[in-house]
């Protein structure tokens, strides 16, 4: 909550991104010697870098989109939406390449998995972690393959930092300031800006959206890959299954960024909610079996279609509604999203998969109800502004008539 506004104000978006990406590389290095003494400190460092990284990225794109909108005479929210669509198209495609790399590397491990019908019965929504099928029947990759994969990921991170440092142009929030207004707020104001924004009722309601986003990502990356894909197919298929999720999310992010100006964000949110609820019902009723291979890939693909809604529209929504407090707004966003991840992974060891699906459905219902309330508040506010503007124009016309 504290680091993003401070770092962005002091160092700018570019150097905040570079410094935060270094934390990700440090986490990759920590995995070379995986132990409590390396993974816990580097995980903390990763968490400290994640919030400034994503907040700076969202702030950068919001400023860039609004600046471009003023140049071409378009609505700021439309241009920002396009920019986030393009960004998340590229970002989600990393899941395709990353999972493809891991699958190709781990595919060199001899596949010795065999799952009996009794073992398959404990997969899916019935998995209550009382069975150790995945742990006992999954072949462990060799240390050489693990080092190969980590080297590829670490090298990619270092290359990314160099590309950002060399080619990314620094950007400033060039919104016109009123005369006498301080350009740089005092340190104390920046430090408390995240808390001060909590006075906005809209933020209280919208925070359920990033909370759900963290929960649903945690479920797909943790529960689905373990209780469905690994449990019934083996670890070698996890990467290929997640490629479908990332590819669908990537392509739909680009699509939503282009069509949102015609459909409006409310339509996309409803679409995302309907698809996710349908997937949850299917996951509750479906009993995973290797004979139904196509289903293992279709469900992550549909989940990715909906995931693209939360990834793109949430960032746009926060950037548009809290344009004057972007850094603090995105810091709040990342806080609640991280809390969703914490809950998802924290509950993974003692709750049945079916219970987690019910929790997901409940949080999604509350999040959509809260989002609808915010949209209603915004529409009323715009109506009142339009009415006030019409009255002022009428008064001005009457004054001119009298003169």
């Amino acid at each position: 909550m504290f680091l993003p506004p401070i770092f962005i104000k002091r160092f700018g978006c570019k150097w905040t991104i570079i410094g935060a990406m270094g934390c990700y590389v440090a986490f990759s290095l920590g995995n070379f010697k995986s132990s409590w003494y390396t993974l816990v400190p580097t995980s903390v460092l990763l968490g400290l870098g994640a919030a400034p990284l994503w907040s700076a990225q969202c702030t950068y794109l919001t400023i860039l989109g609004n600046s471009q909108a003023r140049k071409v005479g378009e609505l700021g929210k439309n241009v920002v939406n396009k920019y986030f669509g393009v960004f998340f198209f590229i970002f989600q495609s990393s899941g395709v390449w990353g999972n493809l790399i891991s699958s190709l590397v781990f595919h060199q491990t001899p596949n010795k998995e065999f799952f009996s019908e009794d073992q398959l019965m404990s997969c899916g929504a019935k998995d209550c972690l009382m069975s150790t099928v995945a742990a006992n029947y999954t072949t462990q990759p060799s240390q050489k393959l693990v080092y190969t994969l980590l080297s590829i990921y670490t090298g990619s991170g270092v290359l990314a930092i160099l590309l950002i440092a060399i080619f990314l142009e620094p950007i400033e929030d060039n919104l016109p300031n009123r005369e006498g207004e301080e350009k740089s707020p005092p340190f104390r104001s920046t430090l408390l800006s995240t808390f001060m924004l909590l006075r906005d009722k809209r933020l209280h309601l919208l925070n359920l959206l990033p909370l759900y986003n963290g929960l649903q990502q945690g479920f797909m990356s943790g529960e689905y890959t373990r209780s469905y894909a690994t449990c019934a197919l083996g670890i070698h298929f996890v990467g290929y299954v997640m490629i479908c999720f990332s590819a669908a999310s990537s392509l739909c992010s680009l699509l939503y960024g282009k069509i949102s100006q015609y459909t409006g964000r409310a339509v996309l949110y409803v679409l995302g909610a309907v698809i996710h609820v349908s997937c949850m019902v299917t996951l509750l009723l479906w009993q995973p079996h290797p004979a139904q291979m196509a289903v293992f890939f279709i469900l992550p693909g549909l989940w990715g279609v909906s995931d693209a809604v939360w990834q793109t529209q949430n960032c746009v929504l926060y950037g548009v509604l809290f344009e004057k407090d972007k850094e603090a707004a995105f810091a709040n966003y990342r806080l609640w999203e991280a809390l969703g991840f914490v809950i998802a992974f924290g509950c993974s060891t003692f709750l049945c998969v079916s219970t987690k699906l019910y929790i997901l459905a409940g949080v999604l219902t509350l999040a959509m109800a809260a989002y609808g309330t915010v949209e209603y508040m915004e529409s009323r506010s715009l109506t009142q502004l339009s009415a006030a503007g019409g009255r002022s124009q009428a008064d001005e016309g009457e004054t001119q008539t009298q003169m």
Side-chain angles (χ1 to χ4, degrees):
M1 290 185 70
F2 296 107
L3 294 182
I6 297 173
F7 280 24
I8 294 172
K9 290 291 186 183
R10 296 295 177 182
F11 305 108
C13 291
K14 173 179 177 176
W15 294 107
T16 299
I17 291 173
I18 292 172
M21 289 173 72
C23 299
Y24 280 70
V25 174
F27 179 73
S28 295
L29 292 172
N31 279 268
F32 277 93
K33 183 67 176 178
S34 54
S35 67
W36 283 98
Y37 303 103
T38 58
L39 290 184
V40 172
T42 53
S43 295
V44 173
L45 189 62
L46 177 67
L48 291 175
L53 174 66
W54 285 100
S55 298
Q57 169 261 313
C58 292
T59 301
Y60 190 98
L61 288 180
T62 302
I63 295 173
L64 198 65
N66 286 322
S67 177
Q68 179 66 15
R70 288 193 294 271
K71 292 179 182 178
V72 299
E74 295 185 19
L75 288 176
K77 63 178 182 179
N78 291 339
V79 178
V80 172
N81 222 322
K82 292 179 184 177
Y83 281 17
F84 273 107
V86 173
F87 172 83
F88 279 105
F89 164 72
I90 300 172
F91 167 70
Q92 295 291 7
S93 70
S94 67
V96 176
W97 313 120
N99 283 298
L100 182 61
I101 291 171
S102 66
S103 297
L104 293 175
V105 171
F106 285 148
H107 195 70
Q108 301 177 49
T109 302
N111 188 359
K112 298 180 180 178
E113 284 107 343
F114 173 76
F115 305 109
S116 66
E117 292 296 328
D118 292 338
Q119 294 162 0
L120 291 174
M121 290 300 296
S122 64
C123 298
K126 297 179 181 179
D127 184 6
C128 290
L129 301 178
M130 297 177 183
S131 172
T132 56
V133 173
N136 290 343
Y137 291 86
T138 299
T139 305
Q140 186 73 16
S142 67
Q143 201 66 29
K144 179 182 178 181
L145 294 180
V146 173
Y147 286 154
T148 300
L149 188 63
L150 289 174
S151 299
I152 295 172
Y153 288 159
T154 304
S156 300
V158 173
L159 178 61
I161 292 177
L162 293 176
L163 290 174
I164 293 293
I166 296 172
F167 295 107
L168 186 66
E169 297 181 5
I171 191 171
E172 295 181 359
D173 193 346
N174 53 1
L175 290 174
N177 295 322
R178 294 186 297 272
E179 185 177 355
E181 183 181 351
E182 291 185 359
K183 187 174 182 180
S184 298
F187 177 80
R188 182 181 179 184
S189 176
T190 301
L191 184 66
L192 299 178
S193 59
T194 309
F195 283 116
M196 294 172 64
L197 191 61
L198 290 173
R199 294 178 297 182
D200 195 320
K201 295 180 180 179
R202 300 173 301 172
L203 188 64
H204 293 168
L205 295 169
L206 289 180
N207 281 337
L208 285 172
L209 285 175
L211 176 66
Y212 173 75
N213 191 29
L215 286 171
Q216 64 92 10
Q217 289 185 74
F219 178 86
M220 178 53 57
S221 61
E223 311 307 326
Y224 184 83
T225 56
R226 180 186 61 195
S227 299
Y228 289 86
T230 302
C231 187
L233 299 178
I235 193 175
H236 303 88
F237 282 90
V238 170
Y240 297 117
V241 165
M242 292 305 292
I243 284 174
C244 293
F245 167 77
S246 299
S249 183
S250 176
L251 294 174
C252 288
S253 294
L254 183 62
L255 176 64
Y256 297 156
K258 292 181 178 296
I259 69 172
S260 60
Q261 57 182 316
Y262 305 108
T263 62
R265 58 177 177 251
V267 174
L268 295 179
Y269 272 111
V270 172
L271 174 66
V274 170
I275 293 177
H276 261 186
V277 170
S278 302
C279 289
M280 292 173 196
V281 173
T282 304
L283 289 171
L284 283 168
L285 301 177
W286 176 49
Q287 182 61 48
H289 195 280
Q292 303 167 328
M293 185 68 70
V295 184
F296 287 94
F297 298 91
I298 292 174
L299 284 174
L302 291 174
W303 199 278
V305 171
S306 185
D307 175 76
V309 175
W310 319 121
Q311 296 291 358
T312 58
Q313 300 306 306
N314 284 356
C315 291
V316 173
L317 185 61
Y318 271 67
V320 170
L321 295 185
F322 309 104
E323 184 179 354
K324 295 182 179 179
D325 301 288
K326 294 180 290 296
E327 298 86 354
F330 288 127
N332 273 289
Y333 178 88
R334 293 302 163 185
L335 168 70
W336 284 90
E337 186 181 54
L339 181 61
F341 277 108
V342 169
I343 295 174
F345 290 117
C347 295
S348 65
T349 56
F350 58 86
L351 288 180
C352 297
V353 174
S354 58
T355 303
K356 298 167 189 174
L357 286 168
Y358 287 126
I359 293 174
L360 268 181
V363 175
L364 175 58
T365 302
L366 293 176
M368 290 303 296
Y371 164 72
T373 303
V374 172
E375 288 286 13
Y376 175 72
M377 293 168 59
E378 285 297 297
S379 63
R380 284 192 60 184
S381 177
L382 290 175
T383 302
Q384 292 173 357
L385 287 175
S386 300
R391 285 196 299 270
S392 63
Q393 290 180 358
D395 293 341
E396 182 180 355
E398 183 179 352
T399 302
Q400 292 177 353
T401 302
Q402 291 176 353
M403 291 176 62

